[in-house]
Amino acid sequence: AMAVDICAMQECLRWEGVDADAHLAELSNFDEFNYYISEYFDVPVPAANTLDALAALMGWSGDTKQIVTKVTGQRHTEDALKPEHFRKFLADLKARSLAELDQKVQQVFTQKMTELVAWKKFDQEQERYMERTPMNSYDVLKCSQACFHLFEWLSSLLPQDQRPLRHVPSDIKAYREREKVMKLQGSWPQDPPPGPEPRDV
């Protein structure tokens, strides 16, 4: 239920319109899945939905930790990284398409990628908290950079008119308002280069 995250929204926007293969390439740099998942007792819903959509595509079952183990080959954060296992996962992921799934599984995938989830946001126009938010790239990014690139790849498998939002209107509006004010104050952080160019951190 926090205010818009300027840095996260800048990151989300810089990937807008970038080819899906760039997200897959970016994903190959992340073996942070296990570290990230083990930080949470309850995985945030936008990330959990992304992993559930992945499981539907890959024909896997299990909770988020089990799904992450299938991705990384690691059962625990302390386990040695298994780059070969991770590379094989990425190759398998690239080879998958929705067309080869039966209709029910396609529906589960689409639902997990696009549904309203219990993710509280303040809507400034309506001046109240919204209890549910549609799945969107920005909220997934706020949970995990690795999940964001996965989400963008999975989104690309859906027909254009069924893809999830990049961000909800209230967030981008709040971001643009902050941008105006902070640019006048001279305190706006430098806009990063468009993806997939590396970003100075």
Side-chain angles (χ1 to χ4, degrees):
M2 60 188 75
V4 69
D5 180 325
I6 301 293
C7 197
M9 186 62 87
Q10 283 184 321
E11 181 67 12
C12 183
L13 292 174
R14 86 188 194 95
W15 286 95
E16 210 152 292
V18 173
D19 190 73
D21 281 338
H23 289 288
L24 205 59
E26 202 69 19
L27 200 52
S28 68
N29 301 324
F30 284 93
D31 7 49
E32 65 136 62
F33 271 107
N34 235 35
Y35 293 95
Y36 146 71
I37 289 296
S38 63
E39 283 173 18
Y40 293 101
F41 181 70
D42 287 319
V43 175
V45 186
N49 262 45
T50 304
L51 292 169
D52 285 343
L54 171 67
L57 179 69
M58 304 300 284
W60 297 342
S61 59
D63 62 22
T64 48
K65 285 184 192 293
Q66 290 166 321
I67 293 165
V68 168
T69 295
K70 287 185 169 89
V71 169
T72 61
Q74 297 169 283
R75 290 193 176 278
H76 304 287
T77 306
E78 303 77 40
D79 291 357
L81 293 174
K82 297 187 176 173
E84 280 183 24
H85 180 103
F86 191 58
R87 276 198 296 273
K88 183 180 181 308
F89 156 71
L90 290 173
D92 290 348
L93 175 61
K94 188 173 186 176
R96 297 275 167 158
S97 76
L98 288 183
E100 63 200 46
L101 305 178
D102 75 44
Q103 206 165 358
K104 266 193 175 166
V105 180
Q106 287 186 35
Q107 285 170 352
V108 168
F109 178 89
T110 304
Q111 181 183 335
K112 291 292 180 184
M113 290 292 292
T114 58
E115 68 185 347
L116 285 165
V117 293
W119 191 248
K120 206 173 180 182
K121 270 186 195 296
F122 187 71
D123 188 317
Q124 285 176 313
E125 277 191 355
Q126 299 192 38
E127 295 186 337
R128 66 187 178 93
Y129 281 101
M130 312 301 285
E131 296 294 329
R132 298 171 77 73
T133 303
M135 285 289 289
N136 66 90
S137 304
Y138 165 74
D139 284 329
V140 174
L141 175 60
K142 285 207 305 182
C143 299
S144 156
Q145 184 107 21
C147 273
F148 166 72
H149 290 296
L150 175 60
F151 184 76
E152 295 295 276
W153 173 259
L154 296 176
S155 295
S156 76
L157 303 180
L158 287 165
Q160 192 78 43
D161 63 348
Q162 288 179 33
R163 290 180 188 172
L165 298 171
R166 304 269 317 141
H167 34 65
V168 297
S170 59
D171 280 337
I172 192 67
K173 189 162 190 261
Y175 172 83
R176 293 299 179 203
E177 284 171 3
R178 292 272 303 278
E179 182 181 27
K180 253 184 253 175
V181 171
M182 290 172 75
K183 278 185 172 174
L184 285 171
Q185 294 170 340
S187 58
W188 183 252
Q190 187 180 349
D191 287 312
E197 284 180 49
R199 179 177 183 168
D200 295 331
V201 178

